[in-house]
Amino acid sequence: MAGPVKTEAVVLRSMRYGEADRILHVYTPHRGRVSAIAKGVRRTRSRFGGRLEPFFRLRLELHEGRGELLTVTGAHTVDGHPRLREDARALDSAARACDAVGRLFETEEPHPGVFNLLCRKLALLDAQAADAGSDGPPPPEGRSPGVATRAGGLQFRLKLLHAAGLAPQLGACAHCGEPEHLVGFSGAAGGVVCGACEAASFPLGEDAHGFMVQALAKALAEAPSASEQTLGQVERAISETLEHHAHLRLRPLVGRAG
Ligand SMILES: [Zn+2]
């Protein structure tokens, strides 16, 4: 497998290493998560410029040697998402999206759909940051930026669960198959549960159930809206699913006021 590798990639993390180098975690369409070293990147006049930073979408040229780390030999910007970097809320969302991808898909197993989903998420955050900076009309009632950001973050996580084969069962009781009277959610059972099976579940409202169905069905640019309370139930459902089936805890998506 040694030799040159060309791939598209999104930079998930970029860490200082030694005097002038950086270690990157990048996510690629066909090689999953890849770790690579970029040498001399912190010198002024580095040929990489500032583009080996988180949230950059790049065309990378890498060299694969015998070690685990690949070496970056070339980098061309596909999209640097410059507007996202000017907006604290968008930056925070982008960091959480990259963190979730890096932790849920940490191997070399290829998931091109996850790569595309992450690219769409970053492009959307970049576009939304641009909108927030313009003097547009105020958001409609119940769509404060904080709530909308959290809804978008939860939708992204649901789509990641789906890509990982962990999508919660939403069409019928995950325990007994009962199609109606679905009143709870059980991470252990892997989805919604009916009244008879509700032990070890927590109450899940119709709105939260509906949000999850809609979020999985709709594009990222059409994130369904919901109240803070509903989003809290959805976040708990995602968290318990991940804890039971992937032994993973993601950073909470706190809906900030405003
Ligand atoms: Zn049941």
Side-chain angles (χ1 to χ4, degrees), residues 172-182 192-198:
C173 175
H175 200 69
C176 73
E178 163 70 42
E180 287 177 62
H181 312 296
L182 304 167
V192 292
V193 290
C194 73
C197 299
E198 67 183 330

Side-chain angles (χ1 to χ4, degrees), residues 158-205:
L158 280 165
K159 286 178 180 286
L160 286 186
L161 287 187
H162 181 76
L166 297 173
Q169 183 174 327
L170 299 173
C173 175
H175 200 69
C176 73
E178 163 70 42
E180 287 177 62
H181 312 296
L182 304 167
V183 295
F185 188 94
S186 163
V192 292
V193 290
C194 73
C197 299
E198 67 183 330
S201 74
F202 68 88
L204 187 86

Side-chain angles (χ1 to χ4, degrees), residues 94-157:
R96 285 167 204 274
C98 285
D99 181 65
V101 168
R103 293 174 61 199
L104 199 47
F105 300 92
E106 60 182 352
T107 68
E108 290 193 358
E109 192 184 334
H111 288 279
V114 171
F115 176 80
N116 291 333
L117 186 66
L118 180 60
C119 289
R120 284 203 298 278
K121 178 71 178 173
L122 294 175
L124 183 65
L125 288 171
D126 195 54
Q128 287 170 341
D131 289 346
S134 67
D135 294 326
E141 202 74 32
R143 285 296 269 176
S144 78
V147 174
T149 298
R150 190 181 186 195
L154 290 169
Q155 185 190 26
F156 182 74
R157 284 190 182 177

